[in-house]
């Protein structure tokens, strides 16, 4: 691995700076409209498909949280960024397979995509092995019941492993994990306010037993305004900051 320097000012940094200013303004406007304070909303820059140098630009512009959805890419990028001396928190936001847990627990600050009891057990076991601090965990919830897109479900009749209450219990009982809240992706056909309305049921069930689990990770480039209106505390923004990705990822 070549040794990287700190972010170099130049056209790419200026482009990202302008995009960042626009995104921050959108968040501020959405907060004003919802009667919320912008300090309640953490911006996570989603850097998948973009190089470590972009993470360094973001860090030098004051972005402390970055998100990735594939383990191999994330692990390499986290190592490069650390070697360059930048300090950011890595959020793992993609669907997670059990065989990747061993790697993810080494660099992730928060895993947003925990949606199965079996995954909780493996993540806890791997985190307990290498971490001194607990790993922050969000339970990804399904707002449309589409099994292919991931997410825990309101009822476990056909999918006990993905029953929301069972996943909550498993995370709460796992010492190496810290239950922080929920994560959702808007259903494909409804990128509007109703899309996130379904979150209320999950947050209600969660907070009845875990009042401190207050994180709501929701909202991407196209729906951050709706997500903020529905109470998002963490928004995950990729293309609005870094540009359209060549493929839908
Ligand atoms: C890629 C991705 C994002 C960011 O999407 P944009 O539309 O580029 O802002 C957010 N959340 C998840 C889970 C993603 O995979």
């Amino acid at each position: 691995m070549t040794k990287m320097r700190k972010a170099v000012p130049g056209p790419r940094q200026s482009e990202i700076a302008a995009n960042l200013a626009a995104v921050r303004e959108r968040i501020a406007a959405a907060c004003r409209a919802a009667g919320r304070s912008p300090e309640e909303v953490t911006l996570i820059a989603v850097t998948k498909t973009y190089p470590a140098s972009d993470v360094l630009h973001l860090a030098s512009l004051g972005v402390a949280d970055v998100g990735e959805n594939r383990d191999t890419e994330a692990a390499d990028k986290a190592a490069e960024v650390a070697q360059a001396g930048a300090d950011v928190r890595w959020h793992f936001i993609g669907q997670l397979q059990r065989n990747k847990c061993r790697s993810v627990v080494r660099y992730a600050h928060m895993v947003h995509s925990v949606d199965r009891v079996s995954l909780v057990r493996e993540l806890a076991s791997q985190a307990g092995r290498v971490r001194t601090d607990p790993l922050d965990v969000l339970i990804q919830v399904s707002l449309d019941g589409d099994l292919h897109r991931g997410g825990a479900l309101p009822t476990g009749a056909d999918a006990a492993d993905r029953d929301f209450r069972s996943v909550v219990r498993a995370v709460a009982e796992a010492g190496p994990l810290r239950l922080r809240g929920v994560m959702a992706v808007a259903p494909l056909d409804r990128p509007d306010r109703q899309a996130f309305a379904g979150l209320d049921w999950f947050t209600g069930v969660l907070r009845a037993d875990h009042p401190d689990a207050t994180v709501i990770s929701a909202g991407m480039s196209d729906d951050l305004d709706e997500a903020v209106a529905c109470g998002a505390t963490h928004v995950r923004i990729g293309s609005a900051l870094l540009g359209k990705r060549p493929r839908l990822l």
Side-chain angles (χ1 to χ4, degrees):
M1 194 188 310
T2 52
K3 177 108 178 89
M4 283 185 62
R5 302 240 181 79
K6 282 268 180 201
V8 188
R12 181 58 173 159
Q13 181 154 326
S14 307
E15 182 188 2
I16 295 174
N19 290 344
L20 178 61
V23 167
R24 289 221 186 276
E25 181 44 46
R26 265 178 78 191
I27 293 172
C31 284
R32 272 195 303 277
R36 303 180 60 199
S37 156
E39 280 96 75
E40 295 172 30
V41 179
T42 299
L43 169 63
I44 299 173
V46 178
T47 51
K48 63 189 182 194
T49 78
Y50 287 100
S53 54
D54 279 355
V55 179
L56 299 182
H57 288 313
L58 286 159
S60 74
L61 294 165
V63 174
D65 293 270
V66 295
E68 288 282 337
N69 71 337
R70 283 163 200 258
D71 169 60
T72 312
E73 181 182 348
D76 289 351
K77 227 177 275 182
E80 270 190 73
V81 168
Q83 208 191 15
D87 194 18
V88 295
R89 289 186 287 263
W90 294 90
H91 295 255
F92 192 85
I93 62 173
Q95 286 192 25
L96 183 55
Q97 302 307 320
R98 276 193 295 170
N99 63 356
K100 300 292 186 188
C101 290
R102 184 188 176 85
S103 169
V104 168
V105 298
R106 291 175 187 273
Y107 59 82
H109 163 78
M110 185 182 275
V111 177
H112 292 224
S113 44
V114 174
D115 62 357
R116 306 183 304 285
V117 173
S118 53
L119 181 62
V120 172
R121 300 223 166 98
E122 180 62 14
L123 202 60
S125 145
Q126 296 298 343
R129 206 169 290 192
V130 297
R131 297 178 67 102
T132 49
D133 58 326
L135 174 63
D136 283 351
V137 159
L138 304 182
I139 299 175
Q140 183 176 351
V141 301
S142 170
L143 297 178
D144 58 5
D146 180 345
L147 286 170
H148 299 291
R149 300 184 76 222
L153 301 163
T155 165
D158 302 317
D161 199 33
R162 287 175 61 172
D163 172 58
F164 180 67
R165 288 186 177 87
S166 304
V167 180
V168 168
R169 213 173 303 121
V171 175
E173 287 169 359
L177 307 182
R178 189 160 60 150
L179 177 57
R180 298 294 312 280
V182 295
M183 180 272 226
V185 178
L188 287 173
D189 54 337
R190 286 184 326 192
D192 56 16
R193 191 156 303 192
Q194 275 83 47
F196 295 111
L199 269 173
D200 289 348
W201 183 86
F202 293 100
T203 54
V205 168
L206 176 63
R207 289 179 195 172
D209 289 330
H210 305 282
D212 295 338
T214 53
V215 171
I216 298 177
S217 166
M220 318 197 332
S221 294
D222 288 340
D223 56 22
L224 86 82
D225 319 80
E226 290 82 2
V228 166
C230 292
T233 62
H234 290 61
V235 292
R236 309 178 306 268
I237 310 298
S239 50
L241 286 172
L242 298 173
K244 281 256 177 284
R245 292 175 298 274
R247 293 189 291 134
L248 255 185
L249 283 173

